[in-house]
């Protein structure tokens, strides 16, 4: 957005992607940072309405704050269920037959399915995305997480994607051990819509952060956190 003299006085960052949904490609616009100079705040909503005026897109907002949440609701955004478990990371002893957790690129490339490999290759250089594979002799789970700051403490890991929710829930303790010992992350945050259910020995947050979407056709379970600012922007 520019003023009468042509100076930039506002901007709304957006991330665009095409994502497979039930065998078809759908177009997404993920809303990111929204910044307007104080003297022009009254006109700032025009940036959002211009974005939402684009036809053929599903819109997501995974970090709305303050008054943006209520504004989004007035603009027909729907709240996702972000019920979140907090798991304190603690080291588990190694034992024969235990699931193995690895961030080694060669191990990932040799373990993932073709669909998982496509996701991995799309996100392997994303600034905030970190990648793991959990393996047992019979199955595996591809995990994408980011490092997060809560209350000015950068000691949290937020899980954004799991390809095998049942295995992830069963082996969440092993993932937590890896995050603690390899990344110095003290606690893991996992939304139940990502993990498929509650985690053992975890505590549900009393006030999980809101996430929202607006779509003419998609259900909440068809919306995920890849291809968004959560994977592209570290904070």
């Amino acid at each position: 957005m520019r003023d009468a003299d042509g100076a930039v006085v506002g901007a709304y960052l957006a991330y665009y992607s095409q994502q497979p949904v039930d065998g078809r490609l759908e177009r997404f616009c993920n809303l990111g940072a929204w910044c307007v100079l104080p003297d022009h705040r009254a006109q700032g909503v025009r940036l959002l309405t211009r974005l939402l005026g684009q036809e053929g897109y599903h819109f997501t907002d995974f970090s709305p704050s303050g008054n943006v949440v209520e504004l989004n609701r007035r603009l027909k955004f729907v709240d996702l269920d972000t019920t979140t478990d907090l798991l304190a990371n603690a080291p588990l002893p190694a034992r024969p037959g235990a699931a193995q957790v690895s961030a080694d690129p060669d191990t990932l490339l040799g373990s993932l399915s073709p669909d998982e490999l496509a996701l991995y290759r799309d996100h392997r250089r994303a600034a905030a995305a970190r990648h793991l594979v959990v393996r047992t002799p019979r199955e595996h789970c591809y995990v994408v997480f980011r490092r997060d700051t809560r209350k000015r403490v950068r000691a949290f890991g937020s899980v954004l994607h799991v390809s095998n929710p049942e295995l992830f829930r069963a082996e969440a303790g092993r993932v937590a051990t890896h995050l603690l010992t390899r990344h110095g992350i003290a606690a893991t945050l996992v939304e139940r819509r990502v993990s498929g259910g509650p985690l053992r020995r975890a505590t549900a947050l009393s006030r999980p952060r809101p996430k929202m979407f607006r779509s003419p056709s998609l259900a909440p379970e068809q919306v995920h956190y890849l291809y968004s600012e959560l994977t592209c922007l570290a904070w």
Side-chain angles (χ1 to χ4, degrees):
M1 184 172 72
R2 298 178 183 273
D3 65 10
D5 298 322
V8 176
V9 296
Y12 208 138
L13 184 63
Y15 298 81
Y16 291 87
S17 63
Q18 292 189 74
Q19 303 176 30
V21 178
D22 294 338
R24 63 186 185 277
L25 282 179
E26 299 282 353
R27 296 195 296 174
F28 286 79
C29 175
N30 169 239
L31 306 180
W34 184 10
C35 300
V36 181
L37 294 180
D39 291 344
H40 301 270
R41 292 280 167 83
Q43 304 299 319
V45 175
R46 286 193 295 137
L47 292 170
L48 176 55
T49 55
R50 286 285 184 89
L51 282 172
L52 297 180
Q54 300 172 105
E55 295 184 357
Y57 284 92
H58 309 286
F59 297 93
T60 59
D61 191 346
F62 296 145
S63 57
S65 59
N67 295 332
V68 175
V69 174
E70 288 304 322
L71 175 60
N72 280 353
R73 288 173 181 153
R74 291 198 297 272
L75 293 170
K76 300 182 179 180
F77 276 77
V78 176
D79 290 87
L80 292 167
D81 180 359
T82 58
T83 302
T84 302
D85 285 328
L86 172 66
L87 180 64
N89 296 345
L92 292 179
R95 59 176 176 78
Q100 302 296 310
V101 181
S102 177
D104 175 66
D106 290 337
T107 301
L108 283 154
L109 290 171
S111 302
L112 303 186
S113 71
D115 288 345
E116 293 165 349
L117 280 172
L119 295 177
Y120 174 61
R121 287 173 173 141
D122 284 348
H123 291 84
R124 65 188 303 178
R125 293 183 177 85
R130 301 292 179 265
H131 309 272
L132 304 173
V133 62
V134 182
R135 298 190 301 168
T136 72
R138 297 180 302 278
E139 55 185 334
H140 73 274
C141 176
Y142 172 47
V143 179
V144 182
F145 75 96
R146 59 175 282 125
R147 190 170 191 131
D148 258 330
T149 301
R150 297 290 178 105
K151 296 183 178 181
R152 300 183 181 180
V153 178
R154 191 168 175 75
F156 297 86
S158 293
V159 176
L160 303 177
H161 173 79
V162 301
S163 67
N164 184 337
E166 185 174 356
L167 179 60
F168 177 84
R169 293 195 306 273
E171 301 297 345
R174 293 288 166 189
V175 175
T177 295
H178 178 93
L179 295 183
L180 176 67
T181 59
R182 301 297 178 90
H183 299 272
I185 292 174
T188 302
L189 295 163
V190 191
E191 291 180 22
R192 292 181 184 178
R193 67 185 305 269
V194 173
S195 62
L199 301 183
R200 291 175 294 177
R201 296 185 293 277
T203 302
L205 296 186
S206 59
R207 296 180 63 185
R209 291 180 173 177
K211 295 182 175 71
M212 314 178 81
F213 81 106
R214 188 176 107 161
S215 168
S217 59
L218 297 187
E221 59 269 20
Q222 295 174 303
V223 176
H224 60 73
Y225 300 141
L226 302 182
Y227 303 97
S228 75
E229 64 170 344
L230 298 181
T231 58
C232 295
L233 185 62
W235 64 75

